[in-house]
């Protein structure tokens, strides 16, 4: 696309959108973009040549930068790497390809950028919590950590087929799930870094592969303990006070690690409507045993219902202008955002500027039974033993279990079949999960045009798609981490608006590597709950707290919210923006909202659609800078 008139971007630059950055190549053709951004008072880090390099608003403090000769290295995010180490690294660089050592060893969560002799390297985290997007603007490729920043620079419109992918349930299908919804904006594949050459061109370079799962439990638990300890220290070092979630085993581990440091720890537990919920009980046991954690329980009746606060105006055009304007894509959790923000607001009011959350722990530590597919071929006796346990617990049908275990088809073939069956009846709840994933479905209100568009994108991807890992189990775990990271990243954007950083150590590269390195026969079992984190946290988490084998799951709150929010959900059908794009049938959607959803259709399907609808309406708000930019 041509170079845009950037004047209208000022609306976006001056808006309340949280931290972001743009990375420019080191060439003359990028100078007009840099000059315009610089004119709006953006923060800036320059190339060694003096040209504009990194510009934007970073919400987590100034980047750490090291420079030596014609090389400059920067880290943006949460880490423990100082300018001195980066200067030393820069002094030994001859090309941007020599940064893998730093990328493979630094603890924390960050973007890594380097400018070396006219070439630029930009990379995020391996699971996408720190993403990198790129777009062609004029004669150069520009990178950013938010897709909407590039879209505003381009004057880009929504891409309806890509938006239709967001209607899938579940929204975790690699690689189409990560496609930006803006025309002309692309996402860097996770595990790659982007190189911007001096002539304005770009290339994507793979640098990370999932580890071989060969480490025994004892060694792996020690490695995970060290990685999590470093990850928490990267967040808490130098702070007087931090806050954290305290409920399940994952957040409890982070709370206990933080309590070993020098900062005061303030923990929050949200009580739900489910009378069988146990988070508060276990949290109080942990706090009593630790003795140095301030604890607050937020009662269930203080938590908003799903959608409450999002629909806060009688004007239909103002209903959906809440938190969605913070997001660069539809966020399925946005409808539930005010529930989570009760904790974030309370923590911010208490004086916290960083909040630890256990997000990602389930995907990383619970372990996928899909590992049995490969384990059956390498350790058949162990696999059969575990298989009997999982089958008994989950009532797996014998024939379907055997079919999945015997299926050695490639990921491309599986993905193509997913595209063929987008409107088929969803698999029963007792279907085994031993393949490449659970095939997603489009909801009944998706139009034939939407179905055709999503099918075409999936079939196109299936020609070249590679799984995220060689085995079913590791692929499923990485796909779950990526899907969760896309959503939780957006919670972080909401928290940033309150002046608080959401810290998610389970999404850190080093933590992911430590956990996935452990042998699946040691960490995947139907008879123990998250055995790897239990062994890793012995001596850190109180012994009594390590005996928990349950998890509060929130379905009672979701079902109650659907009953209470029926009228609000029906408002989605009035002059639906998705319907204008030809993606949903508002009459079918309206009928579904009027009554309880059938058992074959989970609430998540409705929330996916609601998120897309609400997000589209926020794009109509002039303050966000929606006006298309004029071509020169």
């Amino acid at each position: 696309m041509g170079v845009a008139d950037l004047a209208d971007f000022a609306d976006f630059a001056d808006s309340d959108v949280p931290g972001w950055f743009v990375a420019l190549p080191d060439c003359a053709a990028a100078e007009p973009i840099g000059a315009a951004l610089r004119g709006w008072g953006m923060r800036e880090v320059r190339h060694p040549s003096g040209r504009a390099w990194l510009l934007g608003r970073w919400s987590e403090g100034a980047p750490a930068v090291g420079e030596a000769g014609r090389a400059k290295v920067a880290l943006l995010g949460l880490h423990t790497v100082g300018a001195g180490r980066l200067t030393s690294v820069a002094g030994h660089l001859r090309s941007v390809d020599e940064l893998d050592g730093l990328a493979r060893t630094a603890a924390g969560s960050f973007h890594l950028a380097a400018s070396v002799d006219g070439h630029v390297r930009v990379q995020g985290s391996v699971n996408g919590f720190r993403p990198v997007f790129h777009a062609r603007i004029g004669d150069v490729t520009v990178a950013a950590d938010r897709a909407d920043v590039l879209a505003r620079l381009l004057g880009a419109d929504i891409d309806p087929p890509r938006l239709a992918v967001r209607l899938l349930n579940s929204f975790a299908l690699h690689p189409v799930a990560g496609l930006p919804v803006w025309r002309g904006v692309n996402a860097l594949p996770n595990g790659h870094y982007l190189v911007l050459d001096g002539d304005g061109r770009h290339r994507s370079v793979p640098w990370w592969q999932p580890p071989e799962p060969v480490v025994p439990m004892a060694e792996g638990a020690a490695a995970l303990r060290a990685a999590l300890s470093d990850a928490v220290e990267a967040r808490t070092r130098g702070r007087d006070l931090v806050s954290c979630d305290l409920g399940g085993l994952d957040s409890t581990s982070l709370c206990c690690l933080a309590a070993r440091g020098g900062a005061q720890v303030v923990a929050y537990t949200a009580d739900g409507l489910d009378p069988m919920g146990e988070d508060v009980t276990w949290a109080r046991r942990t706090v009593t045993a630790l003795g140095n954690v301030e604890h607050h329980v937020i009662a269930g009746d203080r938590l908003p219902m799903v959608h409450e606060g999002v629909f806060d105006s009688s004007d239909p055009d103002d209903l959906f202008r809440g938190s969605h304007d913070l997001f660069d894509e539809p966020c399925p959790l946005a409808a539930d955002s005010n529930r989570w923000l009760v904790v974030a607001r309370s923590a911010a009011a208490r004086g916290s500027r960083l909040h630890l959350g256990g997000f990602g722990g389930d995907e990383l530590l619970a372990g996928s039974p899909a590992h049995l597919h490969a384990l059956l071929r390498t350790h058949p006796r162990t696999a059969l033993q575990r298989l009997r346990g999982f089958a008994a617990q989950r009532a797996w049908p014998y024939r379907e279990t055997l079919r999945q275990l015997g299926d050695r088809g490639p990921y491309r073939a599986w993905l193509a079949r997913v595209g063929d069956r987008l409107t088929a009846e969803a698999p029963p709840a007792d279907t085994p999960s031993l393949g490449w994933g659970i095939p997603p479905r489009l909801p009944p209100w998706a139009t034939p045009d939407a179905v055709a568009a999503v099918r075409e994108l999936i079939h196109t991807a299936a020609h070249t798609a590679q799984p995220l890992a060689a085995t079913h189990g590791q692929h499923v775990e990485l796909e779950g981490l990526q899907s969760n990271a896309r959503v939780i990243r957006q919670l972080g954007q909401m928290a940033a608006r309150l002046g608080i950083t959401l810290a998610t150590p389970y999404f850190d590269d080093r933590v992911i590597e430590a956990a996935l390195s452990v042998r699946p026969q040691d960490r995947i079992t139907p008879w123990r709950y998250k055995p790897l984190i239990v062994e890793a946290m012995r001596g850190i988490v109180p012994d009594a707290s390590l005996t928990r084998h349950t998890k509060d799951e929130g379905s009672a709150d979701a079902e109650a919210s659907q009953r209470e929010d029926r009228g609000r959900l029906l408002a989605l059908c009035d002059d639906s923006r998705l319907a204008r794009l030809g993606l949903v049938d508002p009459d079918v959607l309206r009928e579904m909202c009027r009554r309880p959803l059938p058992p074959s259709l989970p609430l998540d399907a409705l929330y996916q659609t609601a998120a897309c609808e609400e997000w589209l309406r926020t794009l109509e708000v002039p303050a966000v800078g929606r006006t298309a930019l004029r071509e020169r």
Side-chain angles (χ1 to χ4, degrees), residues 144-385:
D145 67 334
R146 286 181 60 112
D148 55 348
V149 170
L150 296 176
R152 307 301 177 182
L153 290 171
L154 282 170
D157 264 329
I158 298 297
D159 187 314
R162 290 185 174 189
L163 182 61
V165 172
R166 305 306 174 102
L167 302 178
L168 282 170
N169 181 60
S170 69
F171 173 56
L173 188 65
H174 167 77
V176 297
L179 295 173
V181 298
W182 304 94
R183 288 189 177 125
V185 179
N186 299 291
L188 181 70
N190 295 333
H192 289 60
Y193 62 82
L194 184 71
V195 176
L196 307 178
D197 291 327
D199 58 5
R201 293 181 297 180
H202 74 277
R203 51 193 169 94
S204 172
V205 181
W207 74 274
W208 187 87
Q209 291 291 331
E212 288 293 324
V214 296
V215 178
M217 173 64 83
E219 182 182 343
L224 179 60
R225 180 196 321 228
L228 267 180
S229 298
D230 290 345
V232 171
E233 183 184 5
R235 275 79 173 182
T236 60
R237 177 187 291 183
R239 298 180 186 270
D240 296 325
L241 183 149
V242 297
S243 56
C244 64
D245 294 336
L246 181 58
L249 186 56
D250 307 328
S251 59
T252 297
S253 299
L254 301 181
C255 177
C256 293
L257 284 168
R260 294 161 64 91
Q264 180 180 357
V265 177
V266 182
Y268 292 86
T269 304
D271 199 5
L273 299 178
D274 188 351
M276 302 298 290
E278 298 181 317
D279 276 356
V280 172
T281 300
W282 286 95
R284 285 173 172 157
R285 290 177 185 172
T286 300
V287 169
T288 299
L290 290 175
N292 64 340
V293 170
E294 179 182 321
H295 187 217
H296 300 273
V297 176
I298 300 176
D301 57 7
R302 281 188 56 200
L303 295 173
M305 304 295 279
V306 176
H307 289 297
E308 187 175 331
V310 178
F311 307 88
D312 55 5
S313 169
S314 59
D315 180 353
D317 287 333
D318 289 335
L319 290 178
F320 310 99
R321 299 184 184 179
S323 59
H324 293 265
D325 59 332
L326 304 178
F327 306 141
D328 54 355
E329 62 182 10
C331 177
L333 286 186
D336 201 23
S337 60
N338 281 313
R339 291 170 60 83
W340 185 82
L341 286 176
V342 169
V343 173
R345 288 191 180 101
S346 298
R350 178 62 182 81
S352 175
R353 293 298 172 261
L354 181 136
H355 187 84
L356 290 161
F359 302 108
D362 287 340
E363 292 77 11
L364 186 63
L365 301 169
S368 169
H371 279 287
L372 296 175
H373 184 272
L375 201 60
L376 186 65
R377 291 151 181 83
T378 58
H379 297 78
R381 181 176 297 181
T382 300
L384 289 172
Q385 183 188 48

